[in-house]
Amino acid sequence: EIVMTQSPATLSVSPGESVTFSCRASQTVLSNLAWYQQKPGQAPRLLIYRASTRATGIPDRFSGSGYGSQFTLTISSLQSEDFAVYYCQQYSNWPRTFGPGTKVDIK
Amino acid sequence: EVQLVESGGGLVKPGGSLRLSCAASGFTFSSSTMNWIRQAPGKGLEWVSSISSRSDYIYYADSVKGRFTISRHNAKNSLYLEMNSLRAEDTAVYYCAREVSIFEVLSGFDYWGQGTLLTVSS
C-alpha cells in the first residue's frame, strides 16, 4: 500500500495571503495524484488531477505541481471560501490512498 | 445535473449487516468506474471499494475485504455496498464517487454524493 503523508497538519493564514502545502508518497506515483477540498458537512471536491491539471470549474488561484513522490498545492490570494481541509490522493496503485489532510484556517 | 444520492445508512449492532445504495443521474453511469469512500467522524478519507463499468474489475481495502461486497446495476444506474460482520470501526459517512477516466486513464474522484451515515454500536 502506498502511504500518503501531508504537511503541515494545520495552517493558519490571513485572507489574501498565498499558501503552499505538501504531499509525499511512500513510493513513486508518477503524476497520478489528485487534490481535494472538503468543507465541513460537505463531500470532497476534486481540485487537481494528474498532479497539476485543474478540474472543471476550479479557479486558477489553485495550482499543483510535482512528480514521483513529492507534490505541492498552492493557493494564491486565499479567499474566504478556501478555508477548508485539503487532501491529496494517489491513483497509481490499488488500494487508492489519501493523505491525512491539511486544514487551512483563518489566522 | 450530476447527482449521486446514497441511502441505506443507519444504526446497526456489531456483527450486523446493511446494504447501502447509490442512485446516479446526469452522467453515463454504465461507462463509469464507481467507488465507495468513507470518512469516520472527525477523521480523514478512506477508500473502501471500486467496481469497473462492467463489473469485471473489483477492488477492496484490506479493512473490509471478505466482509463487504460492491455491486452495480447499470440498467438502474445504481451502485451498492453489501456490508456484513460490521464493527464499530466501520462507523463513518459512506460516499459513493465516480472515478473519472480521462484519455482512458483513471484520474481521481470527480463526482461525489452527499454521503450516508452508518453507525455500528450496541
Side-chain angles (χ1 to χ4, degrees):
Chain A
E1 170 176 321
I2 297 176
V3 177
M4 308 299 293
T5 55
Q6 290 184 245
S7 61
T10 305
L11 265 177
S12 294
V13 186
S14 299
E17 290 184 350
S18 293
V19 62
T20 296
F21 36 92
S22 299
C23 171
R24 179 174 293 188
S26 60
Q27 64 190 75
T28 182
V29 298
L30 305 177
S31 60
N32 298 313
L33 190 285
W35 289 95
Y36 302 85
Q37 175 193 67
Q38 188 179 32
K39 298 178 183 178
Q42 296 185 17
R45 176 173 72 144
L46 177 66
L47 297 176
I48 300 283
Y49 63 92
R50 209 178 293 144
S52 62
T53 303
R54 277 186 298 277
T56 302
I58 302 303
D60 59 8
R61 65 179 181 272
F62 291 91
S63 62
S65 64
Y67 182 85
S69 63
Q70 299 211 50
F71 302 88
T72 60
L73 178 69
T74 297
I75 312 172
S76 60
S77 188
L78 221 69
Q79 306 295 299
S80 57
E81 61 267 30
D82 300 335
F83 292 96
V85 179
Y86 293 85
Y87 295 95
C88 62
Q89 176 246 328
Q90 66 81 20
Y91 51 88
S92 184
N93 282 355
W94 301 96
R96 303 308 198 213
T97 47
F98 290 88
T102 291
K103 183 178 181 181
V104 178
D105 63 19
I106 301 175
K107 185 186 284 185
Chain B
E1 180 195 4
V2 170
Q3 279 200 310
L4 291 168
V5 181
E6 302 93 339
S7 60
L11 175 62
V12 179
K13 288 183 168 52
S17 300
L18 203 65
R19 186 172 93 149
L20 304 182
S21 300
C22 173
S25 60
F27 66 99
T28 308
F29 178 82
S30 59
S31 301
S32 299
T33 294
M34 297 300 297
N35 297 260
W36 289 99
I37 295 161
R38 68 185 181 183
Q39 187 168 35
K43 302 297 185 183
L45 299 166
E46 180 188 16
W47 172 82
V48 172
S49 183
S50 177
I51 184 168
S52 61
S53 59
R54 292 179 291 186
S55 305
D56 43 1
Y57 295 100
I58 289 177
Y59 302 94
Y60 296 99
D62 285 346
S63 57
V64 306
K65 204 172 292 182
R67 300 187 300 123
F68 289 12
T69 302
I70 192 172
S71 62
R72 65 191 295 161
H73 195 305
N74 285 343
K76 293 183 178 180
N77 284 349
S78 293
L79 175 72
Y80 307 102
L81 186 67
E82 189 76 40
M83 304 181 292
N84 298 313
S85 304
L86 284 164
R87 307 166 179 166
E89 54 265 35
D90 295 319
T91 294
V93 173
Y94 284 74
Y95 296 102
C96 69
R98 181 180 84 156
E99 190 165 20
V100 64
S101 178
I102 299 172
F103 301 120
E104 299 186 357
V105 175
L106 294 173
S107 299
F109 305 112
D110 63 341
Y111 300 150
W112 296 68
Q114 84 291 348
T116 187
L117 176 62
L118 167 68
T119 303
V120 183
S121 175
S122 55

